[in-house]
Amino acid sequence: EIPLNPCQNKIKDNRSIFPIESCYIGMLNLVQTDIYRDLGEVFVEIINVSTGEISCDSFDSAAQPQTFIQISGTPGLYQVTYITENGDVYEGNFNIK
């Protein structure tokens, strides 16, 4: 699991369920995203901070509440950023060794 932190949220939400869950699946070099309520269009950017490699995607969370993004799996520190349609930003980091 990739721990995410809200970074720039316009709407304060006290719901107990975090709206986005992110997980790295090492055997397949995939980042899995699960959306737990309609956040509209969601833009995802995954950067290997060590190499500069970037993978990105966008999707409609109402029509596609789960998505997978392929990454190279090159060792390094990765930063995952989610930007929702209303401008909320969630970020997390993970390492591949």
Side-chain angles (χ1 to χ4, degrees):
E1 189 171 332
I2 302 168
L4 297 174
N5 296 306
C7 297
Q8 183 178 334
N9 292 14
K10 296 179 180 180
I11 298 172
K12 297 300 177 205
D13 190 351
N14 293 326
R15 296 181 196 187
S16 61
I17 297 176
F18 205 68
I20 301 175
E21 187 174 277
S22 187
C23 181
Y24 172 63
I25 303 169
M27 288 177 38
L28 302 173
N29 291 322
L30 294 173
V31 173
Q32 175 182 334
T33 302
D34 293 295
I35 306 289
Y36 294 110
R37 65 173 183 271
D38 184 3
L39 300 175
E41 276 292 310
V42 177
F43 175 76
V44 185
E45 181 179 67
I46 304 167
I47 300 173
N48 182 331
V49 178
S50 305
T51 67
E53 166 195 339
I54 299 174
S55 301
C56 56
D57 192 15
S58 63
F59 59 95
D60 180 352
S61 64
Q64 188 179 356
Q66 183 179 68
T67 188
F68 298 89
I69 299 175
Q70 185 80 48
I71 62 172
S72 70
T74 303
L77 173 65
Y78 286 78
Q79 179 178 25
V80 182
T81 304
Y82 294 91
I83 303 172
T84 68
E85 190 171 300
N86 71 4
D88 289 349
V89 178
Y90 300 88
E91 289 183 344
N93 297 302
F94 66 100
N95 271 306
I96 298 178
K97 297 182 180 192

